[in-house]
Amino acid sequence: MFRIAIQRGFSCVKNIQSVIIPYYAKIQPAAVTSVRSMSKHSTETDEEFDARYEAYFNRTDIDGWDVRKAMNDLQGMDLVPEPKIMIAALRACRRVNDYALAVRFLEAVKDKCGTRMKEIYPFLLQEVRPTLDELGICTPEEMGYDKPELHLENVYDIH
Amino acid sequence: MASNLLKVPIFSKLPSLATRIILPSAAYHRERIGNREVVGFGLNGEPSYIDRTDFPMPAIRFKENSQEITTLREKEKGDWKELSMDEKKTLYRASFCQTFSEMKAPTGEWKSVLAGTFVAMALTVWLYVWMKNFVYQPMPDSFTPEKKAAQLQRIIDLRVNPIEGLASKYDYENNRWKD
């Protein structure tokens, strides 16, 4: 009885193999050349990244929410935005009519320069200077915001 | 038929009703933020204001929309070169509380922390002195120099640790320490 069961089992496997193997043999070549579909492995180059953010800020229908979202995202990344991204962002601020946002963004980028402020920040300013002049945006230094202007009492000391 | 005629004016009024409906959560937040403009998603979708260097654009503006700021915002829609420095600063402070340099300004708090640490350490030393004088009993008899010398002699006599330890450094033939 068992022999019959085993034989039947084997014949079953053989039947399935005869159906499946040609099928896989057919699709195998395509599978070999395909890209590994890993879930979160970015293959974006720096140029593509810059272009993506530039295009994002250059959208004509961008609103204040989107501008802030991208700026906050950039602030969380391990990079200083390229001047062309900055220019696109400043123009986006102009389109949504938010002057404070433009100055805040300049401050944020300056903060991102970190310990290499003296090397990077003058270069960035030099690159975005034409845009600043065109739109009438003052740098944080011109606003006097490179040094603390007002004192804010610590909330824990108020009461 | 009559009932159908009755329905018409009710439906025509619905849109105006709908505009007046405010979600409970929205009312809750609106009550707290006054007429401040919600300008972004913020940290977690809550309409709150916070100054952070790693997340510089909060969800709402810092100041409520006063008459002065509303007129200034109208002017902001024009050429920014026509804004005076005062107006630019007013606009910035209407949107944000602190500048980056103010956020990062040293508070000098480290001084009080250091002072507190030293005070605590000094108090600890005095507590120890007080305990030593008034709480603990005198050291046991075995801590006197004579008793310690006697213990050492006993260890030598027992040849404790003869390979690498104490007894290995003792010259038993001449009855003195090896050089």
Side-chain angles (χ1 to χ4, degrees):
Chain A
M1 191 188 84
F2 282 119
R3 203 195 300 164
I4 292 166
I6 290 167
Q7 277 176 346
R8 277 194 183 164
F10 270 123
S11 66
C12 251
V13 169
K14 271 185 189 166
N15 282 342
I16 292 169
Q17 275 179 344
S18 64
V19 174
I20 289 175
I21 288 175
Y23 175 71
Y24 274 107
K26 248 190 279 175
I27 63 162
Q28 203 74 31
V32 169
T33 53
S34 69
V35 184
R36 283 168 79 185
S37 29
M38 289 167 76
S39 57
K40 284 263 181 183
H41 200 92
S42 173
T43 51
E44 191 181 35
T45 63
D46 287 352
E47 288 72 31
E48 283 166 358
F49 174 85
D50 294 343
R52 180 159 64 86
Y53 266 91
E54 203 184 354
Y56 180 92
F57 281 123
N58 278 337
R59 271 169 39 200
T60 46
D61 62 337
I62 199 164
D63 63 9
W65 282 59
D66 288 341
V67 177
R68 282 174 174 80
K69 152 95 173 118
M71 286 176 176
N72 281 329
D73 285 352
L74 281 173
Q75 197 68 2
M77 293 176 194
D78 186 15
L79 53 84
V80 182
E82 285 286 319
K84 58 181 179 180
I85 299 179
M86 288 176 67
I87 290 170
L90 293 173
R91 289 190 184 283
C93 292
R94 173 66 265 193
R95 283 201 299 283
V96 300
N97 293 320
D98 203 326
Y99 177 81
L101 194 58
V103 178
R104 186 76 158 186
F105 179 63
L106 288 175
E107 279 191 288
V109 172
K110 184 182 178 184
D111 189 59
K112 287 299 282 181
C113 296
T115 52
R116 297 175 68 186
M117 181 91 71
K118 289 199 179 98
E119 294 167 59
I120 303 173
Y121 187 57
F123 165 74
L124 292 177
L125 272 193
Q126 169 203 325
E127 295 292 308
V128 301
R129 176 56 70 184
T131 313
L132 296 182
D133 290 343
E134 183 195 330
L135 301 179
I137 301 170
C138 293
T139 62
E141 287 73 32
E142 288 162 2
M143 302 271 289
Y145 288 167
D146 54 335
K147 291 186 178 61
E149 187 183 51
L150 303 174
H151 171 69
L152 182 72
E153 196 177 358
N154 191 336
V155 285
Y156 298 111
D157 298 337
I158 289 174
H159 299 295
Chain B
M1 187 64 206
S3 62
N4 278 344
L5 284 173
L6 274 176
K7 274 177 193 165
V8 176
I10 297 171
F11 275 112
S12 65
K13 273 185 185 171
L14 262 182
S16 65
L17 268 176
T19 52
R20 264 185 277 147
I21 293 170
I22 302 169
L23 289 173
S25 61
Y28 171 86
H29 291 305
R30 185 50 70 190
E31 196 182 312
R32 276 151 186 80
I33 67 176
N35 68 1
R36 286 174 182 82
E37 201 180 336
V38 178
V39 286
F41 183 74
L43 275 167
N44 54 2
E46 293 276 308
S48 61
Y49 183 90
I50 185 168
D51 274 323
R52 288 180 67 113
T53 55
D54 62 345
F55 200 90
M57 322 302 175
I60 57 173
R61 295 198 195 277
F62 178 61
K63 283 187 186 163
E64 292 195 61
N65 284 336
S66 64
Q67 187 60 45
E68 184 204 353
I69 288 170
T70 316
T71 47
L72 201 52
R73 285 209 198 290
E74 283 305 311
K75 197 178 173 190
E76 191 186 20
K77 287 178 184 164
D79 194 349
W80 286 348
K81 282 174 214 158
E82 285 162 20
L83 295 170
S84 70
M85 186 56 82
D86 270 352
E87 287 170 333
K88 286 178 175 177
K89 288 193 172 198
T90 312
L91 278 172
Y92 185 94
R93 296 291 180 179
S95 272
F96 304 107
C97 177
Q98 283 186 299
T99 65
F100 270 63
S101 56
E102 283 161 9
M103 276 185 250
K104 301 179 85 170
T107 57
E109 195 189 2
W110 64 273
K111 292 175 213 164
S112 56
V113 170
L114 197 65
T117 312
F118 281 141
V119 166
M121 283 159 72
L123 285 177
T124 313
V125 170
W126 284 113
L127 184 68
Y128 170 74
V129 170
W130 180 79
M131 298 273 278
K132 191 78 184 160
N133 284 334
F134 298 106
V135 178
Y136 297 138
Q137 304 221 327
M139 292 298 251
D141 196 28
S142 55
F143 274 75
T144 56
E146 304 86 56
K147 291 287 171 82
K148 282 201 219 169
Q151 282 172 52
L152 180 62
Q153 189 57 51
R154 178 73 177 151
I155 290 168
I156 290 166
D157 293 346
L158 287 173
R159 305 203 175 199
V160 169
N161 253 341
I163 311 293
E164 290 184 316
L166 195 130
S168 70
K169 298 189 173 69
Y170 198 76
D171 185 353
Y172 284 91
E173 283 160 15
N174 299 318
N175 221 14
R176 62 186 175 88
W177 293 102
K178 285 179 188 169
D179 294 325

